[in-house]
Amino acid sequence: MTGKPDTIVLIHGFWVTPRSWEHWKTRYESQGYRVLTPSYPGFEVEVEALNADPTPIETVTVPQIIARLEALIKDLPTPPILIGHSAGGAFTQILLDHGYGAAGVALNSAPTEGVAVVPPSQIRSLLPVLRNPANRHRAVGLNLKQWQYAFTNTFPDDRARATYERYHIPAPGSIVWGSALANFQPGHQDTWVDYHNNDRAPLLFVSGENDHIMPPVIQRSNARHYKSHTTTEVVEFPGRAHLLPAQDGWEEIADYALNWAVEHARPGTPTTTG
């Protein structure tokens, strides 16, 4: 593995925790990789504890999340492969733009600032948060029906319920609202990236055909925003919902993402930037 990344950082999204990577972590570790599944600040406890006391979810911010992830990566001897899901996909894009990572994969990624496509299925998926401005100060959970629509719409009912019980936590209403309004605010917002950054590591968008909350049209639009000479690609998997890391057949996507990242990874360079 000399000259190639030996570490993978898996970055979770909202409404779930690092537990959502449990299968991927085991699979990658069995292939000899060091696999890190960092949590957001305050999310170090388990799903059950966050559901019992969502205070950390109410107060977390995007700069705090990025700072934690950057601090983790800075301590690694060589740049890792970054793989992020949903909001974790947007954070992966930000980290790549900041000079971190040998290659990045964004799974059903939340959009970075400037992506203006808002399909109806996304509006419906986010309505539990966006229907009430007071939710900007709350942690907002989904009920099972809302979870099934936004995350597991192609799952069998029993499988959808099982993933809800194992992975679901509330999401930070402040960040969801901030992302929804990012394109209407002056100046750079929390999810801004430089789409012209030629120093960024290669990036792959992995899109699920039937994802409701971050559907393929968002992934394609996000990818088209990149104008640099660095590799940016999109691949779509048929029949997949938003919760790719836990959907039956996840192994195919996990292997595809890793193989692409290894093939396109930049040679080992110092991890830290300014």
Side-chain angles (χ1 to χ4, degrees):
M1 201 174 289
T2 302
K4 296 182 178 180
D6 61 2
T7 301
I8 302 169
V9 179
L10 301 174
I11 306 169
H12 68 90
F14 293 153
W15 283 289
V16 298
T17 71
R19 183 187 285 180
S20 62
W21 292 117
E22 56 187 339
H23 303 305
W24 292 49
K25 187 174 191 296
T26 300
R27 188 173 186 85
Y28 288 157
E29 286 176 339
S30 72
Q31 297 175 38
Y33 288 92
R34 179 188 185 193
V35 183
L36 305 176
T37 55
S39 65
Y40 302 157
F43 287 52
E44 297 83 3
V45 298
E46 285 292 357
V47 167
E48 293 76 12
L50 284 169
N51 278 314
D53 178 11
T55 302
I57 302 172
E58 295 172 354
T59 57
V60 73
T61 68
V62 172
Q64 289 172 348
I65 295 169
I66 296 300
R68 165 166 287 198
L69 295 171
E70 291 183 347
L72 173 76
I73 297 170
K74 280 180 179 177
D75 287 339
L76 299 175
T78 57
I81 291 169
L82 307 178
I83 300 178
H85 172 242
S86 195
F91 301 149
T92 295
Q93 294 182 61
I94 294 170
L95 291 169
L96 294 178
D97 183 45
H98 289 185
Y100 296 93
V105 180
L107 309 173
N108 285 340
S109 180
T112 43
E113 184 179 341
V115 178
V117 176
V118 186
S121 69
Q122 184 184 54
I123 296 174
R124 177 177 170 182
S125 297
L126 296 176
L127 203 57
V129 180
L130 300 180
R131 64 166 39 120
N132 186 348
N135 285 337
R136 287 179 294 178
H137 310 291
R138 297 169 176 161
V140 183
L142 304 175
N143 61 36
L144 177 58
K145 185 176 180 180
Q146 293 164 342
W147 169 268
Q148 286 180 294
Y149 182 81
F151 277 70
T152 59
N153 48 301
T154 63
F155 288 38
D157 287 347
D158 59 343
R159 181 66 180 146
R161 177 179 291 277
T163 59
Y164 180 75
E165 294 174 348
R166 179 151 183 80
Y167 300 128
H168 170 267
I169 63 168
S174 60
I175 298 179
V176 175
W177 266 93
S179 298
L181 298 175
N183 294 330
F184 305 98
Q185 304 291 326
H188 298 325
Q189 304 301 305
D190 288 344
T191 58
W192 180 84
V193 298
D194 179 3
Y195 292 119
H196 297 269
N197 182 1
N198 288 320
D199 294 327
R200 169 180 62 77
L203 170 62
L204 172 68
F205 288 88
V206 175
S207 180
E209 177 194 23
N210 300 113
D211 184 353
H212 278 164
I213 192 169
M214 301 295 169
V217 65
I218 291 179
Q219 310 309 312
R220 294 193 294 269
S221 177
N222 201 153
R224 284 197 300 269
H225 276 67
Y226 283 98
K227 306 301 181 184
S228 67
H229 301 304
T230 305
T231 299
T232 306
E233 296 181 3
V234 183
V235 62
E236 182 175 321
F237 282 82
R240 306 307 174 103
H242 186 64
L243 195 62
L244 286 174
Q247 183 167 3
D248 288 347
W250 60 267
E251 298 93 338
E252 177 188 9
I253 298 176
D255 291 349
Y256 187 99
L258 179 57
N259 290 336
W260 187 95
V262 170
E263 179 182 348
H264 291 83
R266 297 192 301 190
T269 53
T271 298
T272 56
T273 62

